[in-house]
Amino acid sequence: MRPLIIRRLASVIMRSNSMEEAGNKKRKAWIMGFTAFVLLFVVIPVTVMTGFFTFILTKGLMQTGHPEFGIKLMYGLISIFTVVFGINVIFNELYFEDDISYLLPLPLKPEELVLSRFLAVFVGENMMQFAVVIAVVTGFGIAHPMNVLQWIISLAAGFLLPVIPMAVIAIAGMLLMTFTRFIKKKETVRRISYAIIILILAAGAMMLVSIDISEIVVFIIEGTASNVLFVKILDIIFPQTGLIADFMASGSVWPILVFAAICLLSLVLLSVCARLFYMESVTRLNETTHVQKNAASSQSVVFRSAGMSLFIKEMRILVRTPAFMTNCVAANFVWPVFVLIFAKIMRADLGRAALSAYFAEQSHKTAALAVILAITMVTAAMNCLGSDSFSREGKGFDYIKFIPVSYKLQWNVKTAAAMIWTLAGTVPFFTIFVIYAGFEVITAVITMVLVISSAFFVTELGMLLDSLNPKLFWLDALSALRENYNTVFCMGITIVVCGLLAGGLFLPVPAPVTAGIEALLLCVADVVLYLVSMRAGVHNLMQIGE
Amino acid sequence: MIEALNLSKSFNSGAAIAADNISFTCADGEIVGFIGPNGAGKTTTIKMLTGIIRPDSGKVVINGFDMAEKPLECKKIIGYISDNPDMFVKLTGYEFINFMADVYGVPENVRAERIDYFAEQFGMEKSVFSQRMTGYSHGMRQKTMIIATLVHDPKVWILDEPMVGLDPQSAFNLKRMMREHADKGNTVLFSTHVLEIAEKVCDRIMIIDTGKLIYTGTMDALKNGEEGGDLEKIFLKMTAEA
Ligand SMILES: Nc1ncnc2c1ncn2[C@@H]1O[C@H](COP(=O)(O)OP(=O)(O)OP(=O)(O)O)[C@@H](O)[C@H]1O
Ligand SMILES: [Mg+2]
């Protein structure tokens, strides 16, 4: 094994995964802005909050004589994230990335291939997590003083936290690919990982429903938190979190030595498995790449207007590309599940009588309006239908320019395709809700205007952002979404606007009045945005690729 | 007829000049070959002709319509094949061809006829068109692309390396179709790296190097007296000098 090769290869893989277009000034400025934006509004708040939370938790726990429990809990949660996101990424990296077929013919040992890809994922996926780990260690260290060596080792151990779960996933993945044949496509992996996320969410929700919060407080106060089922499970799946926590609380070297040994062992096992299984499974996968069969459209020629044909093409691409199907289409229909779970946790009565009694009160109605507004706007931003509308075209973008269809019509078709899914995920549910909650007609109408106008606002905003600087160079569709900064900008602006609007509803004026004014404002903003789109937005389209 | 007048285009705010004051005319009834080394500016020029990128200066006129003023009229006349056939691979062949036919407003019966004709020319089973293009080979995608482009019977063909990936019989048929199309009084412009193809089918060739048009003229005039009439030698000499 040649460590240097592994490092070089890992850095090449990481660079090709991110596929940035070189030497484009506008794009560079965009990326700088994006980095600052993420640092300011995501990384810093999250880390500060986590650090503070760990500090409070540890301070409280020190009185029970179990200071290590806070760390154990935080690291357990972080490890859950590692697993949830790791499955998809590691499988893709080892088996489904496009560059694999270029690397396979090179004279590289299987363990070098696997370890370099592992390293690429490890560094690429865990940057944000490292920031959180630093916050956790700092929060703990302030509450429960440690010496310098303990600080250093704690930070190092925190960095290495994802090694074991990721190695286990990689090993399990290789075994699965070698001895079974049921995973042949990316989509299968993606489905499995979504199933696992849903399972974990469901399990978490069930626990929340079944456990009394006060019970947990008692457990913690009495120092018997490890009796809680959730904690027990975490302990069993992620024993390394306990080892690190013990070291940080007691300063004893044994737990950390054991941890280091397990890390090393997992990497050795990974190499051995790679040598035994990787080549066989990955080459077999490339052989079995199958021609996709699908229902033959019985009618071979159908005449449609250009606009209609563009619209149908847009829909087909959205529905047939798994990454778009899940993130842009299916994502619109997920939130009701969360609302239901939340209602269950709060033990709310969802009967019609109870609902209309509850929402008869003005302040509850206002809150409902604020939530509806927030759900609509966040859904519209999250599904990226607007903010990814041009990036989605990728390398095929040119057709927009050479077909004899006006840019305005093409823009409107994309708006329509985006609005349809966003509204399908919101309007039916909210219609049922306003009927069930017994809103007066005026309020109900204002609610629906709010929903539609805010969805349009976010969609058009996203499209304008995306027309300025679309991400057209991507290999797989998921990175068209993940690496398109416009989606994040759009989300950021949406959250700010949404916060202002939702807050405005609570002004000491009757809610229907504020809601009505806001609906009017949104409609005016929509008209303005639309006019801007039809001029500047369309002009932006002409500039793309020049 | 394609008229290019003083077309210039640079990228990265002037750092890279891809086309430098290019002027030419492709007359009706003419097949013009566009040759030049990699990165010479062929694709860039073709993209300016088809309205995909706007020239920094100069203008494009297609059958009397100015691309900057009447883009939709121009685009309706042009059939353009890009150098990358991996477009819309999530669609089936039929869906893609129908999409293009819809966009250009081709009536149903006409497109059925033309699909039949081209499928025959390219030796493609029509059942293939019911499958998604993700499962097509490179050459099948290229053929589907050509069919989708020509289904609206454009007067002006602008083809960026159209022969890449075609089997010999299909390439032969495409060359014959180009000849027939030009003989009906239409215009064909295509880029290629295969000098034999340029030599065989073109009435005129244009040689471009580092963004400059270094030769345009008929095959005969070019060969006249030079290097024993061997296009390869002439090409290598000219691009080395420039
Ligand atoms: N979008 C772009 N951004 C920056 N530079 C570009 C862009 N498109 C083309 N270029 C540059 O313009 C020059 C001409 O490229 P072009 O694609 O026109 O060459 P070509 O003659 O088609 O080459 P090939 O034979 O390889 O297809 C190259 O130097 C290329 O790097
Ligand atoms: Mg080219």
Side-chain angles (χ1 to χ4, degrees), chain A residues 545-546, chain B residues 11-12 16 18 36-45 83 160-161 193:
Chain A
E546 290 189 348
Chain B
F11 291 105
N12 300 331
N38 295 130
K42 299 181 294 297
T43 299
T44 305
T45 307
D83 53 353
D160 201 351
E161 300 186 32
H193 286 298

Side-chain angles (χ1 to χ4, degrees), chain A residues 131-183:
Chain A
V132 176
V133 164
I134 293 175
V136 169
V137 173
T138 313
F140 179 87
I142 294 175
H144 183 281
M146 300 189 290
N147 62 35
V148 179
L149 198 63
Q150 235 174 323
W151 270 97
I152 296 173
I153 296 179
S154 302
L155 284 172
F159 284 162
L160 296 178
L161 186 65
V163 169
I164 299 169
M166 281 176 58
V168 171
I169 295 173
I171 292 170
M174 277 192 270
L175 293 177
L176 207 63
M177 297 299 282
T178 310
F179 294 109
T180 74
R181 279 166 186 268
F182 86 100
I183 300 178

Side-chain angles (χ1 to χ4, degrees), chain A residues 23 294 296 300-304 309-310 313 316 320 398-399 401-405 407 543 546, chain B residues 12 47 52-54 72 75-76 80 88 90-91 94-95 98-99 102-104 106 108 111 130 132:
Chain A
N294 55 289
S300 56
V301 287
V302 212
F303 184 83
R304 296 190 184 94
S309 202
L310 276 163
K313 176 235 127 206
R316 281 182 175 142
R320 288 180 191 177
D398 279 355
Y399 86 89
K401 307 246 201 122
F402 72 72
I403 60 174
V405 178
Y407 294 124
Q543 285 182 333
E546 290 189 348
Chain B
N12 300 331
K47 283 186 172 180
I52 292 170
I53 56 181
R54 293 166 304 173
L72 295 188
K75 290 174 188 177
K76 275 183 196 143
Y80 161 65
F88 298 137
K90 293 282 171 185
L91 300 183
Y94 270 134
E95 285 166 354
N98 271 309
F99 168 74
D102 287 336
V103 162
Y104 290 92
V106 183
E108 228 167 285
R111 71 176 82 166
S130 305
R132 288 197 199 161

Side-chain angles (χ1 to χ4, degrees), chain B residues 33-42 191-196 198-199 205-210 212-215 219 222-223 226-242:
Chain B
F34 203 14
I35 55 181
N38 295 130
K42 299 181 294 297
S191 75
T192 182
H193 286 298
V194 187
L195 298 177
E196 286 78 17
E199 207 163 358
I205 58 163
M206 304 194 291
I207 302 179
I208 185 173
D209 194 14
T210 54
K212 289 193 177 64
L213 211 51
I214 54 174
Y215 177 83
M219 222 58 222
L222 182 66
K223 287 180 176 175
E226 286 218 39
E227 309 286 340
D230 181 359
L231 179 60
E232 188 173 28
K233 281 197 188 126
I234 298 170
F235 177 83
L236 293 178
K237 185 160 166 251
M238 281 184 119
T239 51
E241 278 168 3

Side-chain angles (χ1 to χ4, degrees), chain A residues 425-490:
Chain A
T426 48
V427 168
F429 298 103
F430 293 141
T431 311
I432 295 172
F433 172 78
V434 294
I435 294 171
Y436 255 63
F439 278 26
E440 318 82 73
V441 176
I442 290 282
T443 322
V445 169
I446 291 177
T447 312
M448 290 340 264
V449 174
L450 266 183
V451 168
I452 295 170
S453 58
S454 62
F456 186 86
F457 177 84
V458 177
T459 304
E460 209 69 0
L461 175 72
M463 287 180 68
L464 268 174
L465 282 172
D466 204 34
S467 73
L468 269 172
N469 199 354
K471 161 114 192 143
L472 296 176
F473 294 85
W474 43 264
L475 283 175
D476 83 276
L478 193 61
S479 43
L481 290 162
R482 275 210 315 199
E483 289 162 23
N484 181 6
Y485 307 136
N486 302 318
T487 63
V488 184
F489 281 135
C490 180

